[in-house]
Amino acid sequence: MSIFKTAAADEVKAKQLNKEGCRVTVSVEASSGLITKAFQNAAVQVQSRAQMQGFRAGKVPLDLVKQNFAGHIKERALDLAIKSAISAALEQTKLNPVAVPSLTKADFATFDDGKTFSFELAVDVAPEFDVKDYKGIPVTKKAEEATEEEVKAQLDRILQANARLESAPEGTVIDDKVYAVVQYKGKRNGTDDYKLSADSELIDMAAPQTMPELAKAVLGMKKGESKDFETKEGEDTLSFHVTVDDIKNKIVPALDDSFAKDMGFDTLDALKKRVQDGLNAEAKENSARDFINQIENHLVKMNNFALPETLVQEYTDNSLNNFVRNVTQLKPEQLSAEQRKSFEERIRPTVEKDLRIGYIIHAIAKKENLEATEADWQAELDKSLTANAKNKEDEKKIRAFFTERKDHILATLNERKVFDFLKKEAVVK
């Protein structure tokens, strides 16, 4: 509850000056009476915390408080007056801000007890638009079952993941199909450098290397052979002495019942069925996600309207900060201006798309009279209880969660209703 009530209608004059996109500029004039009340309330509030020698805290006479804490009183009065005047101005102009309004013009030097005070306000409001082209959205539906090639590829990945290395026969020559186990010592400009040395280094000769010269040097060598070679790193000369300790072949298991049993299945057919079922579930999930994505992209393309800049920036900042905390080793405040700008440019389009879709879904729900009901909420609660409540304690926690988050759950169910409607109305190719 506010500590200072909204001003009366006759204490504030508000007028909408202009509107650009979702931003409305409002002029506000607070009456002298409102300012006087603000100073009176401010004086009492400052008095409650004031301390002076000879008086207990909060018991300093009001006239002494006004004399000795005039600056604090004026600062507090300004805050109270502006908050009260803004609330009254929003009521008068019937504006419903989506973010905290901000002062754009004010002459604080004119603020004084018993005088009127004027300022201008920037108010971001929800976009006004007539939602269109949401029925009959053309959608190409992806397959919900995996192909034979996809199943085969997945089985091959499983085989590769269970491959092992075995020493090659004596006399084997290193080529681009084997694994070489080597040891080497390196020098930089003739001086030993431990960073250029390693024991039992395993080299996959078929893969790209961080030290490609090393892989090239051992090509054609046999187990037990040694070799010296040199390479350049900038202006430095790097020299190496390398010895081949072993040469290994990759052994991929056969795809048969024996391998299936090693993987915990009775037969190879059982393993294949598990792979097929897993890929089918993944394909079905991907198809459903892609279906929704096509609908969203169409809605965004066909409904272009201005978004509240304050809200866009707030959501962008939140997403950026979460991304930095979770993905990088930095704290948001450690980002340079250039880094922050780069992150914002990557994140902002997604934020704008999500925000736009939210407004579009709300507009469709209103236009089509699609609204989640108490019965829908109860059904969702019952479904969660059946699936997750194993005992009385679980049931109690689930009921508490659904009660505390009721508005959020109803909003989610409302969105689900809209998308079910859009999917039903879509034209599937």
Side-chain angles (χ1 to χ4, degrees), residues 39-98:
F39 269 93
Q40 291 171 349
N41 282 283
V44 172
Q45 291 174 17
V46 172
Q47 181 191 33
S48 69
R49 300 190 304 273
Q51 295 183 9
M52 287 184 65
Q53 189 172 359
F55 301 95
R56 285 184 294 133
K59 299 298 182 181
V60 181
L62 197 56
D63 58 336
L64 290 180
V65 172
K66 290 179 179 179
Q67 291 175 24
N68 292 278
F69 300 95
H72 290 83
I73 292 173
K74 186 172 184 178
E75 183 179 328
R76 183 63 179 152
L78 178 64
D79 183 57
L80 292 172
I82 288 176
K83 286 180 178 177
S84 179
I86 287 176
S87 296
L90 293 176
E91 285 185 8
Q92 286 185 28
T93 55
K94 294 181 170 52
L95 293 174
N96 186 22
V98 297

Side-chain angles (χ1 to χ4, degrees), residues 5 12 21 37 57 77 93 121 124 148 154 160 187 204 281 284 292 304 341 344 347 373 406:
K5 292 183 179 179
V12 172
K37 284 201 300 184
T93 55
L121 199 62
D124 274 0
E148 289 185 15
Q154 180 64 10
Q160 294 294 332
K187 295 182 179 182
D204 179 1
K284 188 173 183 178
I292 293 295
N304 186 25
K341 181 181 178 183
E344 277 195 9
I347 292 171
T373 63
K406 188 171 184 177

Side-chain angles (χ1 to χ4, degrees), residues 372-373 376-378 380 408-418:
T373 63
D376 295 324
W377 176 84
Q378 185 63 51
E380 193 71 12
H408 177 78
I409 292 169
L410 282 170
T412 301
L413 293 174
N414 208 56
E415 182 176 313
R416 188 188 300 172
K417 276 197 168 189
V418 174

Side-chain angles (χ1 to χ4, degrees), residues 360-389:
I360 293 171
I361 295 304
H362 179 75
I364 294 172
K366 187 176 181 180
K367 197 167 185 177
E368 296 294 335
N369 197 26
L370 299 169
E371 184 176 1
T373 63
E374 187 77 18
D376 295 324
W377 176 84
Q378 185 63 51
E380 193 71 12
L381 170 59
D382 293 341
K383 181 180 174 182
S384 182
L385 289 171
T386 301
N388 303 302

Side-chain angles (χ1 to χ4, degrees), residues 383-424:
K383 181 180 174 182
S384 182
L385 289 171
T386 301
N388 303 302
K390 297 181 177 60
N391 50 52
K392 291 290 185 182
E393 187 61 29
D394 287 346
E395 181 180 339
K396 183 179 178 182
K397 289 180 180 177
I398 292 170
R399 288 187 182 278
F401 174 82
F402 267 72
T403 300
E404 292 168 5
R405 303 277 289 170
K406 188 171 184 177
D407 289 344
H408 177 78
I409 292 169
L410 282 170
T412 301
L413 293 174
N414 208 56
E415 182 176 313
R416 188 188 300 172
K417 276 197 168 189
V418 174
F419 274 107
D420 286 344
F421 169 82
L422 293 174
K423 287 187 285 187
K424 184 179 178 181

Side-chain angles (χ1 to χ4, degrees), residues 187-190 196 230-239:
K187 295 182 179 182
R188 185 183 295 273
N189 300 325
L196 301 177
E230 285 188 354
T231 185
K232 297 288 288 185
E233 185 181 86
E235 298 297 321
D236 294 342
T237 298
L238 309 182
S239 54

